[in-house]
Amino acid sequence: MTIGVGLLGLGTVGAGVASILTNPQGRHPMVADLALRRVAVRDPQRSRPVSLPPGSLVTDPLLVVDDPAVEIVVEVMGGLEPARTLILRAISAGKSVVTANKAVIARHGEEIAAAAAERGVYVLIEAAVGGGIPIIEPLKQSLGGNRIRRVSGIINGTTNYILSRMADDGAGYGEVLAEAQALGYAEADPAADVEGGDAADKIAILAGLAYGGTISRASIATEGIDRLDARDVAYAAKLGFVVKLLAVAEHMGDDAEGGALLDVRVNPTLLPKPHPLAGVNGVNNAILVEGDPVGQVMFYGPGAGAGPTASAVVADILNIAGIHRVSGPQAGLDPLLAASRWRRCSLVGSAHTSHRNYVRLRTLDEAGVIGKIGTCFGDAGVSIQSIVQFAGHAGAAEIVTITHEVLEARFRAALDAIEALPEVQAVAACLRTL
Amino acid sequence: MTIGVGLLGLGTVGAGVASILTNPQGRHPMVADLALRRVAVRDPQRSRPVSLPPGSLVTDPLLVVDDPAVEIVVEVMGGLEPARTLILRAISAGKSVVTANKAVIARHGEEIAAAAAERGVYVLIEAAVGGGIPIIEPLKQSLGGNRIRRVSGIINGTTNYILSRMADDGAGYGEVLAEAQALGYAEADPAADVEGGDAADKIAILAGLAYGGTISRASIATEGIDRLDARDVAYAAKLGFVVKLLAVAEHMGDDAEGGALLDVRVNPTLLPKPHPLAGVNGVNNAILVEGDPVGQVMFYGPGAGAGPTASAVVADILNIAGIHRVSGPQAGLDPLLAASRWRRCSLVGSAHTSHRNYVRLRTLDEAGVIGKIGTCFGDAGVSIQSIVQFAGHAGAAEIVTITHEVLEARFRAALDAIEALPEVQAVAACLRTL
């Protein structure tokens, strides 16, 4: 029973998918049942690293979406438009869609999901988060018995590469970024990665699946690594921590109508070295899911790259092909695979969340400063785990404090008092801490 | 659409499953559609930590299996019989089965899978390997586009706890085993864990899914940790390794008829400290899957325990419930979820495999011994990565060698020559090394 597949885009991921579909031997036997019918590219003259079925290459993506021989449409062109329009058109033609496009799903996921539910087709997105790591399907299909407490992840490979190099070599942010760009690990315009937007797209998707609701992408508090000082990476290491760009979605409770209250955010964060995510280095990604009763489970692997991402895309195609085999024409959708929304999710403001903090102060190098700072924290009800003075220069000192878990509003009040001390020159850095 | 569930066994895992099913709020909404109809226990008088639906408790397991209101049978009683017979009876009554019973699946998996395929029902086994870690379903549903090169895992929590303690505290095997028994991490009769049989059951299951064939459980070369010397754990640490009980299934190539040739084994193994599995400590489990094009993906979490295992059992129930919603009565099976076998798998003998080795020799403490040992390795074509002398006592020395990757047969020839040297008192330990 052959199933026709159409491909929108033949960049590195598209070529990886085509390469798997046209070389099925040694893979799951269902791969041999997938026939690549149509491939839309911008420039048909460009030489490609993969040999396609004769006559399959077209330049008009509508020839892929509208081809009656194409039953599953794979969107790997990226960008918001025309990707969104083509996905919606495929859905309205009754075709299931596989996409690696996190930006489209994070921004238009609700519209796309509603259209798919209405038409009775699947939109699968394993490749949109974590590259080759199976995380979307396990969240949907393997953890439904749990009350999910928290999903946290290192889900941007570029920033993790930069942070790993800063930690290993003590190099500065700008220097490592330039190196990452030269190696192809960072884009010429790195904003989406280093400012945290890509990670925010991905945590919006993960949180939506974990909690069964739509996450307001625009409300996700997002802080990148672009203003991170190499000094803080070094001080964190001395205190037993590593700095990672962490995306977190945490269940804070339910509102009066049973909707979920969530804290969803992206921050450079200090992780204690024994934490399962602390050892995730280079361009690798990992997602930690904590729930009741499962405890902690972690999914780890290559967060990007043509091969891993193609593996995830083909997994989605196979899932659709598998369910096509058993579904009658009027069967409706498997609720696990379709991942329908089942509750309202609202994001809570930062002031109401509690966490540990790392704070670096630049102060005068005078006796008694640490005492005054400690008093400010104490007066605001912030208890301190450690307070350490590092060498400054020219009469200045650097004082690093790690607090215990404290309400953000209370912590901010303490910082205001500290900033007002005459001995304190600046709150030089402030980072969340697990 | 309520689906009736019957439970065989109400031990810790069974009680965990019952607790999830009877407390659905906050979990995936499909959990609320699962109705616990019948629970078979040996002693109905015993007090249970979970409140069951009135009248559901029975002592005759056939009342569960044969109840027409039970559509999915969950076997969490353990042991080979009557578990096998009850599973087969449920299948022949047209019911899908969920089981956490690795021993039954590793030994009777082929018979059970054939009966299930014949009758058109599912037998899902997520809980049989890795406790709460989603690994069975991801192997079946998320990696089918890959050519799997290797599956390796730390899949026995008891031995990993013992090895972690030996590494951290330099304690001896017997001492830590006694402590693990006192803490409930090891059974009174620890043989299945410490001799590697439990890990062999599990790698048989993982290899069968990864390579699509039946693995001869009896042919899996199995070495446990029960003869491991604390000294080797300490020397390994000094050389940059940790010792783990590793279960491995590796694709060695295909035979003339396209069957897969596999090396499947369980051994205490030295892992370089930066290896993704090296940091897996305590009772945690992790499974590393390596394939083309995905690269390396790892699944990590609690390898045992009532809560995690119950999470995996409920995931399987939900998968069956989900597919029941879309399958017509004569629909056949989703080939991904059913995990049908698609090729013949044969195990190759050890002599034909290549790997690195750690070997500890007890020798006379004389000049020139290291040279003679090095010459024996060199004459046999075994190249050496490091050779280090550790302090012995009373005129004896301990010499530890790490070889480069070498054919097992060639390595054994070198060891024979070394053992014949007059300065060598004994080959005291020999461990595989990644």
Side-chain angles (χ1 to χ4, degrees):
Chain A
M1 191 164 107
T2 303
I3 294 190
V5 175
L7 208 49
L8 299 172
L10 197 64
T12 55
V13 175
V17 173
S19 166
I20 293 174
L21 298 188
T22 54
N23 294 284
Q25 62 281 6
R27 313 185 196 277
H28 193 285
M30 283 176 69
V31 177
D33 297 339
L34 304 173
L36 188 57
R37 305 271 196 213
R38 285 261 176 270
V39 182
V41 297
R42 237 173 304 182
D43 175 8
Q45 303 310 326
R46 219 174 94 192
S47 94
R48 315 275 172 186
V50 57
S51 65
L52 298 173
S56 58
L57 214 60
V58 297
T59 52
D60 181 356
L62 292 182
L63 292 178
V64 175
V65 173
D66 296 345
D67 186 336
V70 168
E71 293 158 84
I72 301 174
V73 172
V74 177
E75 187 274 303
V76 285
M77 57 205 306
L80 291 181
E81 285 294 354
R84 174 185 150 275
T85 303
L86 291 168
I87 289 170
L88 290 171
R89 183 169 176 128
I91 291 168
S92 74
K95 300 178 184 195
S96 286
V97 173
V98 175
T99 177
N101 194 327
K102 62 209 159 255
V104 157
I105 295 300
R107 284 174 186 72
H108 304 291
E110 196 168 8
E111 175 188 22
I112 290 169
E118 162 93 24
R119 196 60 180 80
V121 299
Y122 298 94
V123 175
L124 300 192
I125 58 171
E126 181 61 83
V129 182
I133 307 169
I135 175 61
I136 300 285
E137 293 310 315
L139 260 186
K140 285 156 58 174
Q141 301 186 307
S142 301
L143 296 166
N146 290 277
R147 297 182 181 125
I148 306 293
R149 284 195 300 270
R150 184 160 50 185
V151 178
S152 46
I154 294 169
I155 49 181
N156 179 274
T158 302
T159 48
N160 202 48
Y161 172 82
I162 293 173
L163 292 172
S164 300
R165 291 271 292 107
M166 286 174 75
D168 291 348
D169 309 333
Y173 166 76
E175 177 192 336
V176 180
L177 172 62
E179 180 197 296
Q181 287 171 317
L183 287 168
Y185 291 162
E187 311 268 350
D189 175 3
D193 292 316
V194 301
E195 293 173 10
D198 174 81
D201 282 350
K202 292 168 176 170
I203 194 69
I205 294 171
L206 294 177
L209 293 170
Y211 297 106
T214 297
I215 307 299
S216 162
R217 167 68 182 80
S219 309
I220 298 175
T222 304
E223 187 189 347
I225 64 162
D226 46 324
R227 278 172 296 183
L228 188 67
D229 193 315
R231 221 174 320 203
D232 294 306
V233 175
Y235 291 164
K238 286 188 182 154
L239 296 168
F241 295 89
V242 293
V243 181
K244 296 290 183 187
L245 183 65
L246 208 66
V248 179
E250 187 166 357
H251 188 210
M252 310 299 291
D254 291 337
D255 62 24
E257 292 87 43
L261 296 171
L262 303 177
D263 179 26
V264 184
R265 54 181 52 260
V266 175
N267 291 102
T269 304
L270 271 68
L271 277 65
K273 283 179 185 166
H275 190 281
L277 292 171
V280 176
N281 289 317
V283 293
N284 286 305
N285 281 195
I287 298 98
L288 184 70
V289 182
E290 295 168 84
D292 172 35
V294 75
Q296 293 190 321
V297 289
M298 188 175 77
F299 304 83
Y300 165 94
T309 309
S311 164
V313 167
V314 173
D316 281 349
I317 301 174
L318 291 175
N319 273 280
I320 295 169
I323 205 129
H324 272 196
R325 290 226 193 149
V326 300
S327 301
Q330 301 300 325
L333 292 170
D334 177 336
L336 289 185
L337 196 61
S340 46
R341 316 289 187 183
W342 76 83
R343 70 178 152 186
R344 205 167 29 74
C345 291
S346 329
L347 271 51
V348 300
S350 288
H352 305 291
T353 65
S354 292
H355 44 89
R356 296 209 288 166
N357 301 277
Y358 163 103
V359 52
R360 171 165 58 91
L361 305 170
R362 233 183 353 254
T363 71
L364 299 179
D365 192 7
E366 290 175 3
V369 177
I370 284 188
K372 288 187 182 176
I373 292 166
T375 303
C376 289
F377 277 124
D379 289 348
V382 178
S383 64
I384 289 173
Q385 182 196 307
S386 65
I387 182 160
V388 178
Q389 175 165 343
F390 289 98
H393 41 80
E398 294 216 305
I399 294 177
V400 170
T401 306
I402 307 268
T403 73
H404 283 297
E405 188 169 305
V406 59
L407 204 63
E408 175 75 5
R410 188 170 288 181
F411 172 67
R412 290 288 153 191
L415 276 195
D416 287 345
I418 288 167
E419 241 178 331
L421 291 174
E423 297 87 347
V424 171
Q425 299 171 332
V427 177
C430 197
L431 297 166
R432 296 203 161 214
T433 302
L434 283 196
Chain B
M1 192 163 110
T2 303
I3 294 191
V5 176
L7 208 49
L8 299 173
L10 197 65
T12 55
V13 176
V17 173
S19 167
I20 294 175
L21 298 188
T22 54
N23 295 283
Q25 62 281 8
R27 312 185 197 278
H28 193 284
M30 284 176 68
V31 176
D33 297 339
L34 304 173
L36 189 56
R37 306 274 198 210
R38 285 260 177 270
V39 182
V41 298
R42 238 175 303 184
D43 175 7
Q45 304 309 325
R46 221 174 93 190
S47 93
R48 314 276 171 186
V50 58
S51 66
L52 298 173
S56 59
L57 214 60
V58 298
T59 53
D60 181 355
L62 292 183
L63 292 178
V64 175
V65 173
D66 296 345
D67 186 335
V70 167
E71 293 156 84
I72 300 173
V73 173
V74 177
E75 185 275 303
V76 284
M77 58 205 306
L80 291 180
E81 285 293 354
R84 173 185 151 276
T85 302
L86 292 166
I87 290 171
L88 289 170
R89 184 168 174 129
I91 291 169
S92 74
K95 300 178 185 195
S96 287
V97 173
V98 175
T99 176
N101 193 326
K102 62 210 158 253
V104 156
I105 296 299
R107 284 174 185 74
H108 303 293
E110 196 169 9
E111 176 187 23
I112 290 169
E118 162 93 25
R119 196 60 180 79
V121 299
Y122 298 94
V123 176
L124 300 192
I125 58 172
E126 182 59 84
V129 181
I133 307 169
I135 174 60
I136 300 285
E137 293 309 317
L139 258 186
K140 285 157 57 173
Q141 301 186 308
S142 301
L143 295 166
N146 290 278
R147 297 181 180 127
I148 305 292
R149 286 196 298 270
R150 183 159 53 185
V151 178
S152 46
I154 294 170
I155 49 181
N156 180 274
T158 302
T159 49
N160 202 48
Y161 172 81
I162 293 173
L163 292 173
S164 300
R165 290 274 290 109
M166 288 173 75
D168 291 347
D169 310 333
Y173 166 76
E175 178 191 334
V176 180
L177 172 62
E179 180 197 296
Q181 286 170 319
L183 288 168
Y185 292 161
E187 311 268 350
D189 175 3
D193 291 317
V194 301
E195 294 173 9
D198 174 80
D201 282 352
K202 291 168 175 170
I203 195 67
I205 293 170
L206 293 178
L209 293 171
Y211 297 106
T214 297
I215 308 298
S216 162
R217 167 68 181 80
S219 309
I220 297 175
T222 304
E223 187 188 349
I225 64 162
D226 47 323
R227 279 173 294 183
L228 187 68
D229 193 315
R231 219 176 320 203
D232 294 306
V233 175
Y235 291 163
K238 286 186 183 157
L239 296 168
F241 295 88
V242 295
V243 181
K244 296 290 182 188
L245 184 64
L246 208 66
V248 179
E250 186 167 358
H251 188 212
M252 310 299 290
D254 291 338
D255 62 21
E257 292 86 42
L261 297 170
L262 303 176
D263 179 26
V264 185
R265 55 180 52 261
V266 175
N267 292 100
T269 303
L270 271 67
L271 276 66
K273 282 177 186 169
H275 190 280
L277 292 171
V280 176
N281 291 316
V283 294
N284 286 307
N285 280 195
I287 299 98
L288 184 70
V289 182
E290 295 167 84
D292 172 37
V294 76
Q296 293 190 322
V297 289
M298 188 174 78
F299 305 84
Y300 165 93
T309 310
S311 164
V313 167
V314 174
D316 281 349
I317 301 174
L318 290 176
N319 272 280
I320 294 168
I323 204 129
H324 272 195
R325 291 229 192 147
V326 298
S327 302
Q330 301 300 324
L333 292 169
D334 177 336
L336 289 185
L337 196 61
S340 46
R341 314 290 189 182
W342 75 84
R343 69 179 154 187
R344 204 168 28 74
C345 291
S346 328
L347 271 51
V348 299
S350 288
H352 305 291
T353 66
S354 291
H355 44 88
R356 295 209 289 166
N357 301 277
Y358 162 104
V359 52
R360 172 165 57 93
L361 305 169
R362 235 185 351 257
T363 70
L364 300 179
D365 192 6
E366 288 175 4
V369 176
I370 284 188
K372 287 185 182 177
I373 291 166
T375 302
C376 288
F377 277 125
D379 289 348
V382 178
S383 63
I384 290 173
Q385 181 195 309
S386 65
I387 183 160
V388 178
Q389 176 163 345
F390 289 98
H393 40 81
E398 294 216 304
I399 293 176
V400 170
T401 306
I402 307 268
T403 73
H404 284 297
E405 189 169 305
V406 59
L407 203 65
E408 175 76 5
R410 191 172 286 181
F411 172 68
R412 289 290 153 192
L415 276 194
D416 288 346
I418 288 166
E419 240 178 332
L421 292 173
E423 296 87 347
V424 171
Q425 297 170 334
V427 176
C430 198
L431 296 166
R432 294 201 165 218
T433 302
L434 285 194

